[in-house]
Amino acid sequence: MEERKILYSAIQPTNNLTIGNYIGPIKNWISLQNDYNCFFAVANMHAITVRQVPAELRQKTLEVIALYIACGVDPEKCVMYVQSHVPAHAELCWVLNTFTYVGEMERMTQFKDKSLRHAENINMGLMDYPVLMAADILLYQTDVVPVGLDQRQHVEIARDIAQRFNNAFSPTFKVPEALYAKIGAKINDLQDPAKKMSKSAENPNGSIFLSDDRDTVIRKFKRAVTDSGSEIKYDPETKAGISNLLSIYSAFTGKTVAEAEADFAGKGYGDFKLAVGETVADKLFPIQKEQARLLADKAYLEGVLRSGAERAARAANKTLSKVYKKIGFYQL
Ligand code: TYM
């Protein structure tokens, strides 16, 4: 891999991925894959911070890899792998734990949210989650991390940890930058546009899953909560529902928000919601078909993962061995 900058991102193989996961990070991955050396992981070690059904976790891991490829991530150009296949992630996480303060982790918004939602299981992993994510990113000397806005705090703590380590020893880690989609860095829930669209939403009508069939997609958009008034105009402050739908439409058509508004000038909310639903359904169908085709070819997917794990481990172990040397671990 020559002189290109490094791009790193990952998704947890939990629940069903939504169009938020696609619009926020994955679309950016696809447009940047020719310009960066890219690493895309399936974050199964993060996933177990909340209880998972083992057979489902195993299956979803393959589904997510197949989805990356079906969305247009090119396995010839990018390294795609499963986080647990590269032991350096857990190893660096342990070292970085000693450069992270308990108070910082207790203040993380996602930790606080998840502690409320999983009050019966506030395990150490849940709290340590951002440190593992920092290890993911820092192992690859990453320049940019394309994520949705909900990951902002986690990328910031990764930067802090990198700087802290670099200052304690000497420059070891590249300090990464988060990269957000221009449109759609935060796609909101269709039933409650003040909230992020989530894989684990209580009301499934609020989320469009990448696996939803055409009728379901259109039905959910038809039921989407809109705002008072009748104009189709982008104004997240006063028209959160309509603005969210405009963002989704722009992301799926490649049009600017102004062009999207122009498409619906003089039209009613009903027509608009139907058009957004049809646009999204049209786009999802070929992705679903390709994902199903890939999932039927397990040998191919395992080949991608095997080669991905090897290439990822090679890059990761370089950083890990530098770290071990700096902190004084006796090496043979
Ligand atoms: P996860 O699995 O929750 O989400 C995967 C990615 O999707 C983005 N996203 C959204 N973007 C826009 N609108 C939404 N409604 C929306 N919902 C989710 C997330 O911001 C994320 O980019 N901790 C990470 C996974 C991870 C990771 C990493 C990411 C592990 N290690 C290293 C980057 C670098 C997570 O749980 O994402």
Side-chain angles (χ1 to χ4, degrees):
M1 289 200 179
E2 65 303 328
E3 279 305 294
R4 289 192 190 173
K5 291 196 165 178
I6 312 281
L7 182 153
Y8 188 94
S9 202
I11 294 184
Q12 292 188 71
T14 48
N15 304 309
N16 287 317
L17 268 58
T18 71
I19 56 169
N21 300 123
Y22 175 72
I23 298 173
I26 299 181
K27 269 190 85 231
N28 247 345
W29 303 357
I30 293 154
S31 57
L32 296 172
Q33 64 181 333
N34 293 322
D35 304 325
Y36 288 83
N37 279 337
C38 298
F39 292 87
F40 298 121
V42 182
N44 61 343
M45 291 163 67
H46 280 100
I48 61 165
T49 57
V50 169
R51 290 282 170 262
Q52 304 294 331
V53 177
E56 281 176 15
L57 179 61
R58 220 177 337 261
Q59 174 60 20
K60 284 204 189 298
T61 301
L62 270 193
E63 285 177 13
V64 172
I65 282 292
L67 186 78
Y68 288 175
I69 303 173
C71 287
V73 180
D74 183 347
E76 301 292 321
K77 289 186 194 145
C78 306
V79 176
M80 277 183 256
Y81 71 100
V82 177
Q83 189 183 29
S84 66
H85 290 170
V86 179
H89 290 252
E91 295 174 276
L92 182 62
C93 179
W94 180 252
V95 176
L96 298 184
N97 276 333
T98 67
F99 288 85
T100 310
Y101 299 103
V102 172
E104 291 177 306
M105 295 298 101
E106 282 170 337
R107 284 195 294 275
M108 290 278 132
T109 318
Q110 198 177 84
F111 171 66
K112 289 194 274 187
D113 288 351
K114 287 196 179 171
S115 301
L116 286 177
R117 271 195 283 138
H118 304 279
E120 74 301 339
N121 180 23
I122 306 176
N123 62 71
M124 287 301 293
L126 194 63
M127 189 164 167
D128 203 28
Y129 181 116
V131 185
L132 178 60
M133 182 160 156
D136 297 345
I137 298 168
L138 301 181
L139 272 176
Y140 298 90
Q141 304 295 343
T142 300
D143 293 282
V144 294
V145 187
V147 281
L149 269 176
D150 62 317
Q151 296 298 320
R152 177 187 290 245
Q153 222 182 13
H154 292 159
V155 178
E156 263 162 30
I157 199 77
R159 290 168 55 85
D160 291 346
I161 295 172
Q163 277 159 345
R164 203 172 285 161
F165 190 96
N166 288 348
N167 290 338
F169 299 97
S170 56
T172 308
F173 297 119
K174 180 82 67 67
V175 180
E177 303 274 349
L179 189 75
Y180 305 108
K182 281 197 197 78
I183 301 173
K186 181 170 176 259
I187 294 296
N188 291 325
D189 190 284
L190 299 188
Q191 291 298 317
D192 180 1
K195 257 184 19 199
K196 175 189 85 152
M197 184 182 288
S198 162
K199 288 186 248 181
S200 51
E202 274 158 35
N203 180 353
N205 288 324
S207 298
I208 303 289
F209 300 109
L210 295 175
S211 56
D212 279 346
D213 63 28
R214 186 178 183 83
D215 289 349
T216 308
V217 170
I218 291 176
R219 179 176 46 78
K220 286 183 182 177
F221 275 107
K222 275 190 183 160
R223 284 195 196 164
V225 167
T226 45
D227 320 285
S228 57
S230 59
E231 217 187 341
I232 294 161
K233 202 168 147 289
Y234 188 82
D235 182 357
E237 296 293 313
T238 60
K239 285 178 161 280
I242 292 293
S243 303
N244 189 41
L245 296 177
L246 277 168
S247 298
I248 294 171
Y249 181 80
S250 305
F252 275 93
T253 54
K255 294 186 181 182
T256 63
V257 169
E259 287 166 342
E261 285 173 342
D263 281 357
F264 298 102
K267 300 236 169 79
Y269 283 174
D271 288 344
F272 171 53
K273 290 198 280 185
L274 179 64
V276 180
E278 286 176 338
T279 304
V280 172
D282 286 347
K283 177 83 186 190
L284 293 188
F285 181 68
I287 294 177
Q288 292 164 347
K289 224 169 96 183
E290 179 62 2
Q291 187 194 22
R293 188 189 69 78
L294 289 161
L295 281 170
D297 192 351
K298 201 165 156 191
Y300 169 73
L301 291 177
E302 286 191 351
V304 169
L305 291 182
R306 211 164 267 127
S307 120
E310 272 169 30
R311 289 159 73 193
R314 216 173 302 132
N317 287 336
K318 257 196 223 162
T319 300
L320 186 67
S321 121
K322 269 192 212 158
V323 167
Y324 279 0
K325 197 162 161 200
K326 296 213 179 175
I327 58 176
F329 277 6
Y330 195 100
Q331 285 175 300
L332 294 175

